[in-house]
Amino acid sequence: MTIPTPQSPAPDIVRCASMELVVSDLEASRRFYVDVLDLVVTEEDSETVYLRSLEEFIHHNLILRKGPVPAVAAFSYRVRTPEDLDRAVAFYTELGCRVERRAEGFVRGVGDTVRVTDPLGFPYEFFHDVEHVERLAWRYDLHTPGALVRIDHFNQVTPDVPRAVRYMEDLGFRVTEDIQDEEGTTYAAWMRRKPTVHDTAMTGGDGPRMHHVAFATHEKHNILAICDKLGALRMSDAIERGPGRHGVSNAFYLYLRDPDGHRVEIYTQDYWTGDPDNPVVTWDVHDNQRRDWWGNPVVPSWYTDASLVLDLDGNPQPLTKRTDASEMAVTIGADGFSYTRKGDAEHGFKLGNTL
Ligand code: XXG
Ligand code: FE2
């Protein structure tokens, strides 16, 4: 079923701003995000920890909330004006979505919020007013070798990527890169509001689920420092994939799994996309440099695992199966680590072959 384009104008979204994660053991999650990843605690109580990155001036980029089922309670976007909250209400009401406007005070550090269950089943949140807190950019006395400086993007798992892309375009997002095959199946798409490669990506799979939330470091060496720290703490199991260089986005990356299995990406140095004629980059699903520029294999768990998302009552959303081909099935062989790049056989580049 296609999602109709609303007549009401979309809210003007500035950027992805925060994610609310439900975690089963608040102390363990706090240790991971604060003691290991060095996010900054803006405020906390026995149920909730509000965290921000070092260059942030709004109250939080990540909320950890204690709860029974690890899941995502909100993908939160900042909108340009207070009127954009009214636009969000009209836009999603017209789509027949459940919409709740919550007065200032419901979420600490932000003014009125609009929460919706969007047409794909994701809990989206919009806010404009914020409490300003100290931007710690110049507080180098607080920066550690693996300093996380900004929230960069979300990544969502959804069964029908073209359907998701059309709805997100109606919401004002633009595609910057995608992965397709020769039959026109789309496996993933990266979409932006701010002028980077993305604010969120749509990854094909059983959904709605949250694939990851990403934080940026200034430089590549900061990511290597996080790997070294995890090794020193005997926490190398938290590293799922990387470090490496993405094909898509050209960014340097590392994927971690938090104590509940929520996936966090550490990401740096993608490129400017703010021109009106920014060219879209389409990757062939058979190009084994698309997800790792050095050709390193993607571990199967990265394709299969993702976090549940909640409805507005706090119940996990049921999953809809992807019916299109799955990227893992078309690109990973029985050993889990084969390559399928076209032309490999005739050029003798297949793994294990010699020229
Ligand atoms: O942010 C990203 C990602 O979505 O996490 C994954 C940029 C690129 C990639 S990919 O694995 O496709 O290179
Ligand atoms: Fe990512």
Side-chain angles (χ1 to χ4, degrees):
M1 217 176 53
T2 54
I3 300 163
T5 297
Q7 297 301 304
S8 319
D12 184 349
I13 295 170
V14 177
R15 59 164 168 143
C16 68
S18 180
M19 177 171 281
E20 182 176 331
L21 282 180
V22 178
V23 299
S24 61
D25 179 341
L26 191 59
E27 288 69 38
S29 297
R30 191 189 189 285
R31 275 196 298 279
F32 182 80
Y33 288 101
V34 179
D35 300 339
V36 180
L37 291 183
D38 297 318
L39 284 173
V40 177
V41 179
T42 303
E43 192 176 336
E44 63 185 321
D45 58 34
S46 58
E47 299 292 303
T48 319
V49 184
Y50 299 86
L51 299 169
R52 72 183 193 277
S53 52
L54 284 155
E55 291 188 353
E56 189 54 83
F57 66 89
I58 68 171
H59 186 265
H60 53 263
N61 302 127
L62 185 68
I63 302 178
L64 307 176
R65 197 181 296 286
K66 201 164 148 176
V69 182
V72 175
F75 297 75
S76 200
Y77 293 95
R78 189 159 194 214
V79 296
R80 195 164 302 279
T81 67
E83 292 71 44
D84 286 303
L85 292 183
D86 305 329
R87 293 190 186 99
V89 170
F91 182 90
Y92 283 103
T93 303
E94 207 181 316
L95 285 174
C97 296
R98 180 160 165 204
V99 178
E100 282 182 8
R101 193 167 183 139
R102 297 170 176 183
E104 176 160 7
F106 189 86
V107 183
R108 285 286 312 122
V110 301
D112 286 8
T113 56
V114 171
R115 280 207 180 192
V116 307
T117 299
D118 83 357
L120 309 174
F122 289 97
Y124 264 24
E125 179 185 75
F126 304 93
F127 66 87
H128 170 73
D129 286 330
V130 290
E131 181 182 317
H132 282 212
V133 295
E134 188 187 1
R135 178 175 246 166
L136 298 169
W138 295 268
R139 290 292 309 273
Y140 287 108
D141 52 323
L142 302 178
H143 292 216
T144 55
L148 302 184
V149 293
R150 288 185 290 279
I151 186 167
D152 192 86
H153 61 265
F154 309 134
N155 190 304
Q156 305 170 233
V157 184
T158 190
D160 183 340
V161 175
R163 178 172 183 263
V165 165
R166 278 191 297 275
Y167 144 65
M168 291 297 283
E169 284 175 338
D170 289 342
L171 189 57
F173 285 71
R174 292 185 189 184
V175 174
T176 56
E177 303 203 19
D178 62 10
I179 296 177
Q180 297 187 17
D181 66 16
E182 58 285 3
E183 267 115 51
T185 304
T186 306
Y187 295 86
W190 284 259
M191 307 195 76
R192 71 146 186 110
R193 285 294 302 172
K194 66 178 158 53
T196 63
V197 169
H198 55 321
D199 287 280
T200 194
M202 294 294 168
T203 298
D206 302 347
R209 289 183 297 163
M210 186 280 286
H211 192 274
H212 61 267
V213 56
F215 288 91
T217 61
H218 279 139
E219 301 188 25
K220 295 183 274 295
H221 66 75
N222 305 116
I223 292 184
L224 300 180
I226 293 171
C227 297
D228 284 338
K229 182 171 178 179
L230 287 164
L233 294 172
R234 292 275 152 190
M235 286 179 65
S236 62
D237 286 356
I239 299 177
E240 182 187 39
R241 179 184 161 201
R245 162 84 67 193
H246 282 309
V248 172
S249 81
N250 198 28
F252 200 81
Y253 73 88
L254 173 71
Y255 294 94
L256 306 176
R257 303 294 291 272
D258 85 358
D260 283 302
H262 296 309
R263 186 180 290 104
V264 183
E265 180 179 16
I266 318 296
Y267 179 96
T268 190
Q269 298 169 354
D270 60 356
Y271 58 91
W272 166 262
T273 59
D275 281 28
D277 54 351
N278 179 67
V280 175
V281 180
T282 293
W283 296 79
D284 180 343
V285 74
H286 298 287
D287 182 344
N288 74 325
Q289 292 187 207
R290 73 195 183 290
R291 288 200 177 273
D292 184 282
W293 188 240
W294 308 329
N296 280 322
V298 175
V299 287
S301 64
W302 192 89
Y303 284 117
T304 55
D305 297 3
S307 301
L308 295 173
V309 304
L310 302 180
D311 67 17
L312 298 187
D313 297 319
N315 300 314
Q317 287 281 31
L319 302 187
T320 302
K321 282 221 156 308
R322 176 172 168 91
T323 51
D324 285 349
S326 98
E327 184 171 340
M328 187 170 97
V330 303
T331 60
I332 298 188
D335 59 1
F337 291 99
S338 297
Y339 297 122
T340 59
R341 183 164 51 191
K342 267 189 283 175
D344 279 356
E346 56 270 32
H347 293 109
F349 291 150
K350 223 175 177 88
L351 260 193
N353 284 6
T354 44
L355 280 170

